[in-house]
Amino acid sequence: LPPPAECLALFIATLEIVPFGIIGLRDPSFFADGYGLPISRESDTSPASAKRSGNNQSTYEEDQKTKKALVAAIAARNVQNGVLLAVFGLVLRDRRSLGVAVMAGLVATVADSVIVSAYGAKDKIAGHYVGVFNSLAIGGSLLYWGRNDPLW
């Protein structure tokens, strides 16, 4: 079994691929909730204001499609990040490269935190702060301690 920091990095890879990636691609409406973006499901009816005119209805539907596309792009980014972490951790078994890849995730998690804080629901930001902490703690420990160091 690899040292704890590598195990945690591989756990993050699994999270990036499955719940933050594939599930986000499969159900963008559910995944968008983590960003505080209200996206209606296909079976939902449009709001009462959009029912008044056909033009508003088509604008509402286009807006929903755009939101779903943007959220799906975020989910695809997460799958890509998870695959990258899995390759560095399982195939290449390069601890330093894995640390750099986890630390690089800091860019996305900080950006997501700022975006959710500015545009999303404030109660959704805690999960993004966890991502920032994970990137710093796990990436930092992978870069700081070597495989044969006494602590890790």
Side-chain angles (χ1 to χ4, degrees):
L1 191 65
E6 291 178 42
C7 289
L8 289 172
L10 294 174
F11 178 69
I12 290 174
T14 304
L15 289 176
E16 289 274 3
I17 293 169
V18 180
F20 303 146
I22 294 171
I23 292 174
L25 288 169
R26 189 163 186 261
D27 188 0
S29 299
F30 174 76
F31 186 66
D33 186 54
Y35 288 88
L37 294 173
I39 298 177
S40 66
R41 298 192 185 277
E42 297 295 329
S43 61
D44 290 349
T45 57
S46 58
S49 62
K51 290 180 182 177
R52 292 189 190 121
S53 77
N55 188 24
N56 285 343
Q57 175 71 25
S58 65
T59 302
Y60 174 78
E61 289 172 359
E62 289 173 14
D63 185 45
Q64 293 300 304
K65 281 184 176 180
T66 301
K67 287 180 183 178
K68 286 181 182 180
L70 292 172
V71 169
I74 293 169
R77 173 198 73 183
N78 292 340
V79 170
Q80 177 260 318
N81 290 341
V83 169
L84 179 70
L85 293 175
V87 167
F88 281 141
L90 296 172
V91 179
L92 301 177
R93 299 192 57 108
D94 185 349
R95 181 181 180 89
R96 301 291 181 195
S97 296
L98 182 60
V100 169
V102 172
M103 287 292 284
L106 187 63
V107 173
T109 55
V110 168
D112 287 349
S113 299
V114 170
I115 291 166
V116 169
S117 176
Y119 301 107
K122 303 281 191 229
D123 61 330
K124 304 295 181 182
I125 200 163
H128 298 280
Y129 286 154
V130 170
V132 170
F133 175 78
N134 286 340
S135 295
L136 285 172
I138 296 169
S141 65
L142 285 166
L143 290 172
Y144 183 76
W145 285 290
R147 183 178 283 274
N148 297 323
D149 286 348
L151 182 59
W152 296 90

